[in-house]
Amino acid sequence: MNPYKIAVISGDGIGPEVIDEGIKVMKRVAELDGRLSFEFTHFPWGCEYYLEHGQMMASDGMEQLEKFDAIYLGAVGFPGVPDHISLWDLLLIIRKQFDQYVNIRPIQLLNGAPCPIDNGTKETIDMLFIRENSEGEYAGAGDWLFKGKPEEVVLQTGVFSRKGTERIIRYAFETASDLGKTLTSISKANALNYSMVFWDQVFEEVSLEYPHVETASYLVDAAAMLMIKNPARFEVVVTSNLFGDILTDLGAALAGGMGLAAGANINPEKTYPSMFEPIHGSAPDIAGQHIANPLAAIWSASQMFDFFGFEDLGKLLLDSIEELLVTKSALTPDLGGSASTIEVGDAIVALIESKYVNNK
Ligand code: NAD
Ligand code: IPM
Ligand code: MN
């Protein structure tokens, strides 16, 4: 049995704290299951590395990463290094160069998770966000002219290619079709008179190939309001890079907070490794206190199991997270508990072990 080779970039702040727990859980699941194993290789890249070496990763970092089956990433960014440098030179460059153009972010309220709205239940908050992850507002195109002069001008250009727009929308239709769910597109064609008019047009075109998928299309401002007022309205959702970034933090708040929000950066063609990460950042405000919630990182490990074709193990992890949320036997302070990051990881391992004992 060949081990799955996983590159680990724990990164900054709470990144290493939560990734340690994710790895602990993955190792134990593999041991108990016996059908697969993992080989983890740790890369010390991030803001500390930058302060020492003047760069966020090794010069041949991308070549090193290319050989892995997947990347497991904690968080990037810390006070002392400008965010646009730390994020562009590590996280965003990986997403882009490895053509991880699909960002899958489940917004799913599990039983036991806190929800800030009255009508929030497991049935009403069950969305799958498919965020464009390679271009759009994050194309990195632009210029900074006449810096510091009165005539200073800054340009940040959105890039929406036909290839990039079509492939993400088609991926979303395929997903909605497979799941038998509705597909909602979120854009902003009333104000963004090139990019979003084009987005809407491509959505219309591709929808003709999927007449059996029920669709809806909202402006992003209205969508933000509707996600709170009527979250059940959203099942599979496809949107641009920036809108997806913002709306999935809003979604995270609906589904229990940043400590429970997971994401997968997928290169569907498998030409390059895909990358799995909690969607939260390095949380400098709580870093080093050992109270970061590792459940988002563990949920992204569950997405990794799904990606490798072990959906039963992905579900096992998710069921264990839900059971922990219901029993509340070990939760970090963000979820109202007083457990440490390690205690939560241990509790998930114990729940998984008990499931194996009960099944055998
Ligand atoms: P953040 O997600 O780090 O923190 C926002 C708030 O949520 C904080 O109060 C934090 O304590 C809380 N929080 C986040 N994750 C938590 C967890 N697992 N358990 C408990 N509480 C948690 O966002 P921010 O403060 O805007 O950004 C901090 C840094 O992280 C910045 O440098 C930013 O650029 C970077 N960032 C990185 C990523 C990434 O690597 N994927 C994502 C977002 C932000
Ligand atoms: C996320 C993060 C990143 C993004 C940042 C850190 C560049 O907020 O993964 O949601 O905007 O994509
Ligand atoms: Mn974000």
Side-chain angles (χ1 to χ4, degrees):
M1 177 176 58
N2 280 336
Y4 285 102
K5 294 196 189 68
I6 314 294
V8 181
I9 306 173
S10 313
D12 306 313
I14 64 168
E17 300 172 36
V18 297
I19 288 298
D20 279 356
E21 300 314 303
I23 291 176
K24 185 199 284 177
V25 170
M26 286 174 71
K27 278 185 173 158
R28 192 67 187 120
V29 169
E31 266 168 29
L32 289 165
D33 185 77
R35 281 176 297 166
L36 76 172
S37 65
F38 296 107
E39 187 182 290
F40 295 97
T41 305
H42 292 258
F43 293 92
W45 302 334
C47 288
E48 265 181 50
Y49 185 91
Y50 179 89
L51 292 175
E52 208 176 306
H53 302 271
Q55 49 195 45
M56 287 297 294
M57 66 160 98
S59 307
D60 64 347
M62 294 303 291
E63 289 85 69
Q64 292 193 46
L65 290 176
E66 204 172 330
K67 302 186 188 86
F68 288 85
D69 296 309
I71 303 165
Y72 192 33
L73 183 134
V76 181
F78 216 71
V81 180
D83 265 355
H84 67 279
I85 293 179
S86 56
L87 272 312
W88 264 101
D89 289 359
L90 191 52
L91 178 75
L92 294 177
I93 205 74
I94 296 174
R95 287 182 185 167
K96 222 176 268 289
Q97 282 196 20
F98 285 165
D99 212 15
Q100 296 165 348
Y101 61 88
V102 182
N103 191 185
I104 302 180
R105 296 186 161 185
I107 304 294
Q108 202 179 338
L109 181 68
L110 299 181
N111 285 323
C115 179
I117 60 170
D118 292 341
N119 51 346
T121 62
K122 190 170 176 168
E123 285 69 41
T124 56
I125 299 181
D126 187 5
M127 319 176 197
L128 190 67
F129 263 75
I130 298 181
R131 168 189 177 191
E132 204 294 317
N133 210 33
S134 65
E135 53 168 37
E137 307 88 342
Y138 284 46
D143 211 340
W144 197 317
L145 303 166
F146 315 115
K147 221 173 208 174
K149 305 230 170 75
E151 61 273 34
E152 192 164 21
V153 174
V154 178
L155 306 169
Q156 186 85 48
T157 307
V159 175
F160 290 76
S161 66
R162 175 160 284 277
K163 178 183 165 194
T165 308
E166 244 181 58
R167 67 184 180 178
I168 194 66
I169 288 175
R170 185 162 283 115
Y171 188 96
F173 269 104
E174 286 291 330
T175 306
S177 175
D178 287 352
L179 297 174
K181 297 207 166 167
T182 63
L183 176 63
T184 297
S185 165
I186 297 179
S187 62
K188 183 74 186 167
N190 53 358
L192 304 182
N193 52 341
Y194 298 106
S195 57
M196 290 297 162
V197 173
F198 176 68
W199 176 283
D200 285 356
Q201 183 193 308
V202 173
F203 187 73
E204 279 288 323
E205 282 170 19
V206 179
S207 76
L208 300 176
E209 296 171 35
Y210 299 86
H212 57 289
V213 175
E214 192 187 320
T215 61
S217 191
Y218 292 118
L219 296 163
V220 64
D221 46 354
M225 180 272 295
L226 268 177
M227 276 176 70
I228 305 289
K229 296 285 279 184
N230 186 10
R233 185 60 209 77
F234 300 88
E235 294 182 354
V236 181
V237 178
V238 64
T239 190
S240 71
N241 212 331
L242 180 63
F243 295 169
D245 175 48
I246 297 166
L247 291 176
T248 52
D249 263 34
L250 192 155
L254 284 176
M258 294 312 285
L260 275 166
N265 306 274
I266 302 292
N267 171 243
E269 292 75 24
K270 302 199 172 158
T271 313
Y272 301 102
S274 291
M275 177 163 68
F276 300 81
E277 50 161 347
I279 79 173
H280 61 71
S282 59
D285 53 339
I286 58 164
Q289 297 178 30
H290 311 289
I291 53 164
N293 188 345
L295 293 176
I298 295 171
W299 193 327
S300 34
S302 137
Q303 290 183 296
M304 204 185 316
F305 280 110
D306 291 348
F307 178 75
F308 287 142
F310 295 93
E311 282 93 352
D312 54 330
L313 300 180
K315 184 171 181 312
L316 174 73
L317 257 63
L318 208 52
D319 290 348
S320 306
I321 293 173
E322 187 163 49
E323 203 173 324
L324 189 68
L325 289 167
V326 170
T327 62
K328 307 199 184 312
S329 55
L331 295 177
T332 43
D334 58 306
L335 293 177
S338 57
S340 70
T341 310
I342 292 177
E343 284 165 347
V344 172
D346 288 345
I348 293 287
V349 167
L351 279 169
I352 289 168
E353 285 170 347
S354 72
K355 288 193 167 78
Y356 271 90
V357 170
N358 291 339
N359 286 343
K360 300 254 152 93

